[in-house]
Amino acid sequence: MRLGIWVSIVISAILSFIIASIYEQPLHWYLFVLIIFIGFFINTILIIVRTKEEKEKNEA
């Protein structure tokens, strides 16, 4: 797995908190954790789909 993808998920969570603070939105620690977990979940799904596609290409 690439480290850059994981770092970009954390950076996007930090960036979303910065933008929310600019617009004076409520900020809670669990929202930060939720953003990170959703990013990891979506990345995991993309890895699974990409792996299945690569298997199908190799079998054909």
Side-chain angles (χ1 to χ4, degrees):
M1 291 193 208
R2 297 182 199 168
L3 182 64
I5 294 172
W6 305 108
V7 172
S8 65
I9 290 171
V10 173
I11 290 173
S12 66
I14 294 169
L15 184 62
S16 68
F17 260 57
I18 292 170
I19 292 171
S21 67
I22 290 171
Y23 289 104
E24 299 176 359
Q25 297 298 314
L27 301 172
H28 301 285
W29 65 269
Y30 58 84
L31 293 175
F32 183 76
V33 173
L34 184 65
I35 291 170
I36 291 176
F37 279 138
I38 289 172
F40 289 153
F41 180 71
I42 291 172
N43 187 36
T44 304
I45 291 173
L46 291 175
I47 289 171
I48 292 170
V49 169
R50 198 175 305 142
T51 303
K52 286 183 180 180
E53 288 177 355
E54 289 176 3
K55 274 187 182 178
E56 289 174 359
K57 281 184 180 178
N58 291 336
E59 289 176 0

